[in-house]
Every structure is written in structure tokens, then in C-alpha cells.
Amino acid sequence: MIRTRRGIHAAFLALGLAGTALLAAPAWAAGTLTISSPQDPGSWDPIDTFLVNWASVATNIYDGLTYRGADLKLVPGLATAWEELDDGKRIRFTLREGVKFHDGEPFNAEAVKFTFDRLLGEEGKKGPQRSNYAAIDKVEIIDAKTVDFHLKAPDPVLLTKLAGYGAMIVPPKYIQEKGDDYFNAHPVGTGPFKVVSYEPKIGIKLEAFADHWGGAPKLSNLEYRFIAEPATAVAELQAGRVDLVIPPTIPVGMIPTIQADPKLEVVSTAGPTVYALRFNTKSGPTADERVRKALILGVDRDAIIQTILGGQAAPIASFQGALSFGNDPAMKPLPYDPEKAKALLKEAGIATGTTLQIDVRGNDSTFNEVSQAIASYLQVIGLNATIKPYETNVLLNDIIPAGKTGAMFEQAWGGWTLDYDNTAYSMYHSGEKWNPYDSDPKLDALLESQRSITDRAKREEILQSIAHYTADRALEIPLYNYNAIFGVSKRVKNFTPVPDSRLRLTDVTVE
């Protein structure tokens, strides 16, 4: 039976590790947690990535000024306190004393300033994170334990953003001496675990950092193995060579296999991850809004959720889930209406048998099933949908940002801040990495306007209007909000799934 954690628990999460190769014997060394992760992010630098599978590892390597745990409450991290000044345009942080990076370098105000100068400078410009922190004008050192963030405009989500991804604090001296390329593969932070070794495409190994300011972790080692093939990951879990399989690896069809094993269990939790098929709005048939709406009307998403996903998802009307600030619960998805879809296609002059390409992540077996079902639905309304799989990093880092997709492409988004801005600005603002095709001045203005509003009700109203506007323009087929599904060995104790999969494993133990 699936153990569902829909209420978010207050305990910090626990997770595990990296490996290098398939081991012949179970990885049951005392104090070692072995984790199967579906993807090697390719770089461990916080400014280089947006990937959830980066954060599920790196949350144990790095700390931010703030921290958001499993209960979703924001608490002190490397900053012990903060104060908003000058009508929200300046934030003063008091820094934690006595903290060291894994290489012994001291954490101080210089490290904070270096981190954000780097993020907002030329190095940060190369990655996808800088725009999330665009409200920061500069960081001023007041003294060794005090910094002021001067903002161009108030940012109501900034304190949450400082708890993850690009805002993780990095060591100045280490990076200056070793260089950015070396840092990508040999990361150093202040977190509860430090990196022992990293083998690209194979795994990453961590060991407990006994001098962590929050106390030493209960585990001695974490080992993450990068296993893209779901069947292989589940087989390794059954064999005892893996203790934990993290999302989005486990297909719904494999849940009964895990449940049937008395040594294992399935843990499922509602989270922020949403799936959509986004459109090429610039060229081809999907440049026509009528065609895009026809494609939405032509897919029975409720049937997909119940049959292929086994009920482990909820329908969405915009590209966000129910936990997202900015979600309008009164907003309903377009209904399944194949006859209306056919009429719109005819009105748009689309000939029967027109071919449309759907680009997907090749290792996402669950979504591959979903895309096959979508292709079948589109055939009913007279279209020939072909599916083109890509290696995940190729699709995300080359095909989509360069605008080289087919008519539709898979987009999964975590929205880890649980604020629609984190999704909407990246997806819809002109010039953003994940918006290679569309440019809408009205939408740009809406997205920009809400970023500096501190009135929560007013800001929510604008975010909801953005959701309605993008739905009216049919910029994607909003598919579903998918549960995070974990396969867990029963020898793992004190494991709590987090909604955003940013697993902090300090309290986890293994028998």
C-alpha cells in the first residue's frame, strides 16, 4: 500500500548518495545511504542549473542564507537573522559565526558578496539562474558578520529564493585559485556533507562533514548513482544495491513491483512538479492560436491521469499546481471536446493527416507513455503526431533554448519556490531560456509588475491574471501536477519526502 505524505512534515529530509558502478553486493555498509538519481546535472556549480536532480544532491553540499525544510517554513540558514529596511529595498542579514567551508576556508561577509557578485556578473550570465535574482542591485559588506542587500525594487519572493539553487554560498578563495571549470566537478560548500568523488554519468560520493554548524549528520556517507533507466533503478532497489530511488524515475506501472517486495515500500507526496506540452508559437501550424486550442481540446487529460498515471496526479488549468501561490482554484482546464477540436482545425485550414512532432526526454518512461496516448488522441482529430526522444540534457540545454523543437515539446517544471513567478517568468518572459519562441509585450509587463509588489493580495491577483492570460493564448497543453514517488528500502529510517525533492538527509539513518 502506498504511504502518502500529503501533509508536509517538519522534520528535515534525508537522502543519499552517489555511486560509481553497479556493485555486486548490497551497499549495506553501516551509515551509508545509496540513492538512485535519474540524471547527472553535468555541473555542481549553483549558478549553472535549474534541475531538481541537482538540488536533491546539492542541498546536502551547500547552504543558503535561508533554509526551507520539509514543512515549507522559511528559517535561518547561514544568516541567523534579517531585517527589511527602506520600504523593502534593502535587507540586512546577520551572518552565522564560526562556519567553515569543507576546505577550511571561513564563511563570512566576503563569501556572501563574492557569491552574488559572481551570480549577477559575467559568470552567472552563462547560466539560467541570474534572472531569478535580478532584483538585487548589489551586496554591501557592513562588517565581517553583516551584509546589506540593496534591491532595485522589493522582491517578495527573494527570501525564499535565497534558500536554494543559484543563491547557495560558494567559497571565494577556492574558486579563485581553482577556477570555475574545476569547481563544476569538485564542489565545495558549507553543507552537512562534503564531496569525496564525482564520476560524470556514473555517480557522486559524499561523506559527513563533522564540523557542520548544524551538527554532524547521522549518516556517515551518501552515495548517488546516476541510473537513467527506471527498470534498472528498481532492479537495483530490489537487489539491495540501492536504498532509495528518487523522482521522477519510478513509472506508475512499476509501483506494484515495489509494493510486492516485503523489504520495500512506495512513498508518495503531492508536490509542485507540473507537466505540459509547450508549443512552438513562432512557426508551423502551432503558430495559430486556434490550432493550439484544438490540440488542448483534443486530449483527454483526465483519462491519462486515471489510466496511465494510476491517479498519482491532478489535472491543472495553468502551468502550476495547487500548492503554487498564484494558482486560481476556480480556473478550470479546457474540457475534452474532439468535435470542437476538429472544427477549430478546419477553421484554421489544417489538412487531415498534418504531421506534428512532439519532443520528449528519452529516459522519462512515464511521460513516453503519456506522449503515446496524446499522439493517439491527436490521431482521432485528424493529426499525425510523431514522437522524437532526446537525451535529457540535450533537449534541455540545446534543443529547447535554441528554438529547435518540433511543434510541441515536453516541459516538466518544479516551481520549487511554490510561487508562480518562478515558473511564469522563466516560461513566458521575452528572451528567457525556456521561452525560445514567444514575445508578448503585454505579458512581459504583467510579469514585471508583480515582482516588486509587496501587497500579497494584489500580487496574487496579478499572478492569477497571468495564468488566465497564458491559458487564453494557449501557450501550452497543461497536463497534470504529478506526485513525487519514491521507492524506499525499509532499512531506511526517518525519511520524509519533501514536496520539492530538495532532500536534506541529515536526520536519516540506515539499519
Side-chain angles (χ1 to χ4, degrees), residues 309-390:
L309 303 179
Q312 291 284 327
I316 54 174
S318 59
F319 200 31
Q320 60 184 323
L323 293 174
S324 170
F325 181 75
N327 184 62
D328 182 356
M331 187 176 173
K332 303 301 180 186
L334 286 178
Y336 176 52
D337 192 337
E339 295 308 313
K340 187 173 181 180
K342 291 176 185 177
L344 281 173
L345 291 173
K346 183 177 181 181
E347 181 184 321
I350 302 298
T352 299
T354 295
T355 297
L356 300 177
Q357 180 177 301
I358 302 174
D359 295 342
V360 300
R361 305 181 189 189
N363 72 332
D364 188 342
S365 59
T366 297
F367 196 83
N368 286 342
E369 288 187 58
V370 170
S371 61
Q372 292 287 351
I374 290 171
S376 297
Y377 281 118
L378 297 184
Q379 188 173 24
V380 171
I381 62 173
L383 300 173
N384 176 31
T386 62
I387 299 169
K388 186 169 184 178
Y390 286 94

Side-chain angles (χ1 to χ4, degrees), residues 67-403:
Y67 176 74
R68 191 184 72 187
D71 61 357
L72 302 184
K73 293 179 181 178
L74 204 63
V75 297
L78 291 176
T80 58
W82 49 86
E83 180 183 10
E84 295 188 8
L85 305 166
D86 301 341
D87 297 321
K89 293 190 70 175
R90 180 162 60 98
I91 306 176
R92 173 160 292 183
F93 291 93
T94 301
L95 305 181
R96 194 175 295 276
E97 297 185 74
V99 177
K100 291 186 181 297
F101 288 94
H102 300 150
D103 65 340
E105 184 177 341
F107 162 76
N108 51 30
E110 291 283 355
V112 176
K113 180 173 173 56
F114 174 85
T115 294
F116 288 93
D117 285 352
R118 182 171 179 265
L119 169 64
L120 300 171
E122 288 304 306
E123 188 63 28
K125 188 177 182 179
K126 301 173 186 175
Q129 282 294 333
R130 191 169 73 162
S131 66
N132 284 327
Y133 305 90
I136 302 171
D137 184 35
K138 65 178 181 178
V139 174
E140 178 189 8
I141 296 174
I142 305 303
D143 56 43
K145 66 171 187 176
T146 311
V147 294
D148 280 1
F149 277 49
H150 295 267
L151 309 183
K152 299 170 187 174
D155 182 346
V157 195
L158 182 60
L159 288 171
T160 298
K161 293 175 185 175
L162 295 179
Y165 291 90
M168 297 290 92
I169 305 300
V170 298
K173 184 179 178 182
Y174 180 82
I175 292 177
Q176 289 165 345
E177 289 181 354
K178 301 291 189 180
D180 294 306
D181 290 342
Y182 186 86
F183 181 62
N184 289 347
H186 304 84
V188 166
T190 63
F193 291 88
K194 61 183 179 180
V195 174
V196 175
S197 65
Y198 165 55
E199 191 172 352
K201 307 296 184 184
I202 303 298
I204 183 167
K205 293 182 178 182
L206 282 60
E207 69 179 18
F209 182 47
D211 294 330
H212 187 252
W213 55 266
K218 294 177 181 178
L219 287 165
S220 57
N221 298 281
L222 294 179
E223 182 173 347
Y224 294 84
R225 294 172 53 195
F226 304 130
I227 304 175
E229 174 54 49
T232 303
V234 172
E236 291 296 288
L237 181 67
Q238 290 178 297
R241 291 186 286 266
V242 160
D243 303 309
L244 178 63
V245 178
I246 63 175
T249 302
I250 299 174
V252 170
M254 287 188 176
I255 288 178
T257 300
I258 298 173
Q259 291 174 322
D261 192 321
K263 303 186 301 296
L264 309 176
E265 62 181 333
V266 172
V267 181
S268 174
T269 183
T273 300
V274 286
Y275 283 77
L277 277 183
R278 304 198 67 218
F279 292 120
N280 176 349
T281 60
K282 189 174 183 179
S283 61
T286 50
D288 189 321
E289 185 178 302
R290 294 169 296 181
V291 175
R292 301 197 299 267
K293 287 184 176 177
L295 295 174
I296 298 171
L297 290 163
V299 177
D300 190 342
R301 289 160 284 171
D302 287 333
I304 288 173
I305 290 170
Q306 293 308 315
T307 56
I308 297 175
L309 303 179
Q312 291 284 327
I316 54 174
S318 59
F319 200 31
Q320 60 184 323
L323 293 174
S324 170
F325 181 75
N327 184 62
D328 182 356
M331 187 176 173
K332 303 301 180 186
L334 286 178
Y336 176 52
D337 192 337
E339 295 308 313
K340 187 173 181 180
K342 291 176 185 177
L344 281 173
L345 291 173
K346 183 177 181 181
E347 181 184 321
I350 302 298
T352 299
T354 295
T355 297
L356 300 177
Q357 180 177 301
I358 302 174
D359 295 342
V360 300
R361 305 181 189 189
N363 72 332
D364 188 342
S365 59
T366 297
F367 196 83
N368 286 342
E369 288 187 58
V370 170
S371 61
Q372 292 287 351
I374 290 171
S376 297
Y377 281 118
L378 297 184
Q379 188 173 24
V380 171
I381 62 173
L383 300 173
N384 176 31
T386 62
I387 299 169
K388 186 169 184 178
Y390 286 94
E391 196 276 324
T392 298
N393 286 343
V394 172
L395 179 64
L396 298 182
N397 296 320
D398 179 19
I399 301 301
I400 295 174

